[in-house]
Structures are given as C-alpha cells and as structure tokens.
Amino acid sequence: MSAQTTVKRKRPRFPFAAQVLAGLVLGLLLGVVALQLGTTGDGEPNWLAVTLETVGSTFVSLLRTIVPPLIVLAVISSIANLRNVANAARLAWKTLLWFAITALIAVAIGITLGLVFRPGLNSAVDASTAAEPSTTGSWLAFIESIVPANFLGLAASTSAADDGSLSTSLSFNALQLIVIAVVLGIAAVKVGKSAEPFINFTASALDVVLKALWWVIRLAPIGTVGLLGNAVYSYGWTTIGALGQFSVTIYVGLALVVFVVYPLLAAVNGLSPVKYLTGVWPAAQLGFVSRSSMGTLPVTQRVAEQNFGVPRHYSAFAVPFGATTKMDGCAAIYPAISAIFVAQFFGIGLGVTDYLLIVFVSVIGSAATAGTTGATVMLTLTLSTVGLPLEGVGLLLAVDPILDMGRTATNVAGQAFIPAIVAKREGILDTARYHAPRGVTGFVPLDEESDSVPTGADTDGAADRDSGATASERSASSEQSDEKETAGSSTT
C-alpha cells in the first residue's frame, strides 16, 4: 500500500507525450519567427534558423548513429526469440500475410486518392526545379544491395570540394545489415545449445543499445523544436503551398489508414478501435518526430506488449521485423500518390498494367525502405518500374521532410498494431490488457508483481500472461521498466 502511495506521489505532472506536443507547438512558433527575421546582410540564415537547424540535425544524427547496431541486434534477437515457440513458422507466416494485406489496402487507397484529387494537375511547382535525385532505386540495384559487400555492411563514398580536396564518408547499408543479421540469427538457432552464449550476449547487447537509445529519445521534445522550426523556415509557406494539394492528398491517405483502416480491422477482430487509437499514440507521436521506424522501435514494442497485450515471445520477433519491412506510409500511400502525381505532371497516361505494377512494388518492395528515412529510394524504385521520369522526385523533395513525419507515424502505427491482430486471431493476445485503462504516461500500468515499479505508473494493471520467460526475456522486462521510467518521468 505504501509503495502505491509513493508511486502516485511521484507521478509526473508533465508526461513525455505532453512534452513532445509542446515541442511541436514551440517549433512551429519559432519557425514562423525565424521566417520573419529573414536572412542576414550577406544572405545567410539568421541566428535562430541556424540554431533550429543545428538542434534538429543533431537529434537526427544521434538517432542514425544508433540505428546500425540496433538493426543487427534486434533482428538476431527477434529470430532467436522464436526458437522456443511451438508455432513459430505459423506466426511468422501470418505476420507476413497481414503485412501484405494492409499494404495492399494502403496502396489501393493511395491510387484512388491520386485519381480523385489529381494533384499533378493542380500544382504550382515549377518544372524547371525538377532534377534527378542523388539516390535512386531499381530492382537490379535492390537485388545487388541485398548481397553484403562486407561483414559490417559498410559503404564508402568520396567527394571532391571546390578547392580540390577529397573527403571520404562511411555509411551503413541497412538492407545488407538486415541480411547479415537474418543469417546470423538463423545460424544461431540451427547451431543449438552451443550458440546460447552468443544469443544471450546479443540479448544483453540489445538491452544496452536500447538504454542508450532511450537517452536519445528523452531529447525528442528538444529535437522536435529544431526539426519542425527548421522545416517551417527552410521551406516556408510558398514552397508548401505550391505542393499543397499533393501534401494534403498524402496526409488524407495516411489518415485513412491510421484512423479508418486500422480501427476497422480492430473492430472486425473483436478489438476496441478506441483502445487502438489511445494505445498506439505514444509510438505514433514519437515516429512523427523522429522520422525513423528503427529509432522508435523500443516505444513501438512497448506499445505492442504493454498496451495491446501482445506476448513478448511474439512481439520480440514481429515488431523489429515490422520496423524494417512494414511501411504503409513510405512504401504504399506515398509512392502510389507520388507516381500518379509525376505521371499527371508530365502528361503521361497510365494503364491498368502500370497501376498493377505500382501495387506490386508497394507490396513486395517495401523492404527497400529498411526502417530508415528512405522513402525516396522506394519512390524511385516505383517510378523506374513503371517507366516514369525520375526527375519527378526532384519536384517533391521540397516537402519531403514534412510528409515524412506523417509517413513514419503511419508506419509505426501498423508495426505496433498488426502483431496485435495476428495474436488475437491466434488466441494468444491478452485482451484484458488490450482493453485496460491507460495510465498518465499513455501506457497500461505495470503489474503489481513486477520486479520494479517506475515512477509515474500504477500497480493495478492486468497481468502479463507469458510464462517460462527466458533470461533474455526477463532482461527485456527489466529494460521495459526502465523505458517506462524514462517516458513517464523525463523532463526537458
């Protein structure tokens, strides 16, 4: 009883979700102020614009830095976590099936909206601004990129400056990292008992990486101010207005998926649509800010387990797997509407075969996005498959960061919710937890018998029905408690 009293007394007055919302409002206001200040005498951005850009880019850089080890460790652990599940193959197949079903619905919505709104015929964007994107996608390049060039999935690029000096930068190929992780995960499962130390090390390392990621996530309210403020200053109302109908069409499509398709799927499967919306909110709002499915992974998994009642042994596979392949926003709605926009803008007619190709690319080729901000690659893959000019991508880059916020929020909503549908249909979902009231932090409170009770959580939640947890799962539970403490009590 005294423990409960202590917890309630420490409940945060300004939850993390409210902090992010405050960051959105403040970022918008500061962006408007930066626009009013204009540029300096020599045409350079003013001090406020530079500050916003620095804050936003620093936050994104921190997220991107931690994504490579997160991909490898999460995928290996997700595969290893299925080794003790009797119906692992069935769960994996059902997960893929529902990923494909919802992607098919999303791309159908995108094509319909593109034909109804006709954004390419109602655009004020200047055709002279069109230029081929620096990053493109094609089926050949996609297939080639799957084969790892080296064990770390590293790629190097060298560029020459105006003064003749050369600089080399290193980057990670997310697709190659996924392939490497899948091979290692399957190999570890096949090796058996002698691979247990490796699997335990991977689980432990994942806990460490997730803890570091949570420290970065605590900066999300500040990062939100910089990202949104810089977007308003950089693109202004004129640029956004030129592609206004296109942007509205994209967001209408994203909203239909999140607020209509997913709630309908919830209702059809005997789940409350309202509980879906309130449960997915913590992950969707962070995805909106971070613009990275992998960067939002720990919150997404926490939503699936704690709010939706997905068993940990299944969510540990489905959520990380979805963070690399489940992209209804980036890989379905966006490329479908964008392809129709480009065709309309350049006066190119599309036939039934072209629309079927768009559907095929959206459903099959979504892995090209690889859980990062790679919708441009997915779009170029779609355009090249249909035979549309890649210069059309250059027309849309001006508003891409603004659209990417909504795309990622939609991606994350699906990554958290689809495992709940599969679990419900397989009879392993904790429906009592799914329908339980959310706490002040936006999550179903912890169980009374939990090892630790974080600040800001109640102790009267529904019990976790998983039994026989492995050491890695118990470690994940401990990490989850730390995550709740972060999200519930952080102040910035």
Side-chain angles (χ1 to χ4, degrees):
M1 182 64 68
S2 60
Q4 287 185 351
T5 303
T6 302
V7 169
K8 290 183 179 179
R9 186 167 60 248
K10 293 182 178 180
R11 179 172 292 172
R13 297 180 179 178
F14 197 34
F16 186 73
Q19 295 176 31
V20 176
L21 284 177
L24 288 170
V25 174
L26 182 58
L28 179 63
L29 293 176
L30 291 179
V32 173
V33 172
L35 272 177
Q36 297 300 319
L37 292 177
T39 58
T40 61
D42 54 358
E44 295 295 322
N46 59 71
W47 66 270
L48 180 56
V50 172
T51 302
L52 291 172
E53 193 279 332
T54 302
V55 170
S57 61
T58 300
F59 177 68
V60 173
S61 296
L62 289 173
L63 281 177
R64 288 179 175 174
T65 299
I66 210 164
V67 162
L70 183 61
I71 290 177
V72 175
L73 296 172
V75 173
I76 293 176
S77 295
S78 67
I79 294 175
N81 282 329
L82 284 177
R83 69 191 186 281
N84 296 323
V85 180
N87 58 341
R90 178 182 174 86
L91 285 174
W93 178 81
K94 286 294 185 68
T95 303
L96 281 171
L97 177 62
W98 275 97
F99 282 178
I101 290 173
T102 50
L104 184 61
I105 296 173
V107 72
I109 291 175
I111 291 175
T112 301
L113 292 176
L115 295 176
V116 171
F117 283 87
R118 308 179 73 184
L121 301 180
N122 299 280
S123 172
V125 67
D126 188 356
S128 63
T129 62
E132 288 197 23
S134 58
T135 303
T136 60
S138 67
W139 285 109
L140 180 59
F142 174 67
I143 294 173
E144 290 177 345
S145 66
I146 292 178
V147 181
N150 51 72
F151 182 73
L152 297 177
L154 276 172
S157 59
T158 303
S159 58
D162 295 335
D163 58 1
S165 60
L166 299 178
S167 61
T168 301
S169 60
L170 298 177
S171 61
F172 288 92
N173 186 306
L175 279 175
Q176 293 182 11
L177 287 177
I178 293 172
V179 172
I180 293 170
V182 168
V183 172
L184 290 177
I186 295 175
V189 172
K190 292 294 184 181
V191 167
K193 186 176 180 180
S194 62
E196 285 297 325
F198 171 76
I199 293 175
N200 290 335
F201 167 78
T202 301
S204 177
L206 179 60
D207 289 342
V208 173
V209 171
L210 288 175
K211 172 59 71 176
L213 177 58
W214 270 103
W215 292 340
V216 176
I217 289 176
R218 291 185 65 174
L219 301 175
I222 298 176
T224 300
V225 175
L227 289 170
L228 190 58
N230 181 60
V232 172
Y233 173 80
S234 299
Y235 306 110
W237 310 121
T238 303
T239 302
I240 297 174
L243 290 167
Q245 187 157 348
F246 170 76
S247 301
V248 168
T249 305
I250 293 290
Y251 267 94
V252 168
L254 299 176
L256 286 175
V257 171
V258 175
F259 297 107
V260 177
V261 174
Y262 291 157
L264 282 176
L265 289 176
V268 168
N269 288 277
L271 300 173
S272 168
V274 175
K275 289 299 183 181
Y276 148 72
L277 291 172
T278 58
V280 84
W281 167 248
Q285 63 141 6
L286 185 59
F288 186 87
V289 173
S290 67
R291 295 169 50 198
S292 171
S293 293
M294 289 302 301
T296 314
L297 175 61
V299 180
T300 308
Q301 187 160 345
R302 181 182 164 197
V303 163
E305 294 178 7
Q306 192 176 340
N307 282 1
F308 292 157
V310 179
R312 184 172 298 118
H313 69 262
Y314 171 52
S315 69
F317 160 77
V319 177
F321 184 66
T324 59
T325 58
K326 177 60 181 167
M327 305 286 170
D328 286 344
C330 291
I333 293 290
Y334 179 71
I337 296 177
S338 299
I340 294 175
F341 170 91
V342 172
Q344 293 171 347
F345 186 86
F346 288 100
I348 300 173
L350 296 178
V352 175
T353 303
D354 297 313
Y355 292 119
L356 291 177
L357 284 174
I358 293 175
V359 172
F360 174 79
V361 175
S362 299
V363 175
I364 304 299
S366 61
T369 57
T372 60
T373 54
T376 298
V377 174
M378 185 64 193
L379 177 55
T380 58
L381 179 64
T382 304
L383 295 183
S384 61
T385 301
V386 181
L388 295 172
L390 295 181
E391 291 84 355
V393 179
L395 299 171
L396 309 177
L397 290 178
V399 293
D400 188 73
I402 296 174
L403 300 180
D404 197 35
M405 293 179 174
R407 292 193 308 244
T408 307
T410 303
N411 295 341
V412 169
Q415 293 158 12
F417 184 61
I418 297 305
I421 293 180
V422 176
K424 177 63 167 60
R425 298 178 70 88
E426 293 298 304
I428 59 175
L429 185 72
D430 186 346
T431 54
R433 179 174 289 276
Y434 180 95
H435 293 98
R438 316 301 182 202
V440 68
T441 61
F443 291 91
V444 174
L446 282 177
D447 308 329
E448 287 189 78
E449 62 271 21
S450 295
D451 293 335
S452 59
V453 180
T455 301
D458 292 327
T459 56
D460 57 354
D464 188 351
R465 308 305 179 197
D466 286 302
S467 60
T470 62
S472 61
E473 289 171 336
R474 289 192 296 271
S475 177
S477 179
S478 175
E479 174 64 23
Q480 188 183 53
S481 296
D482 291 337
E483 295 166 5
K484 296 184 185 77
E485 182 177 359
T486 300
S489 60
S490 62
T491 55
T492 49

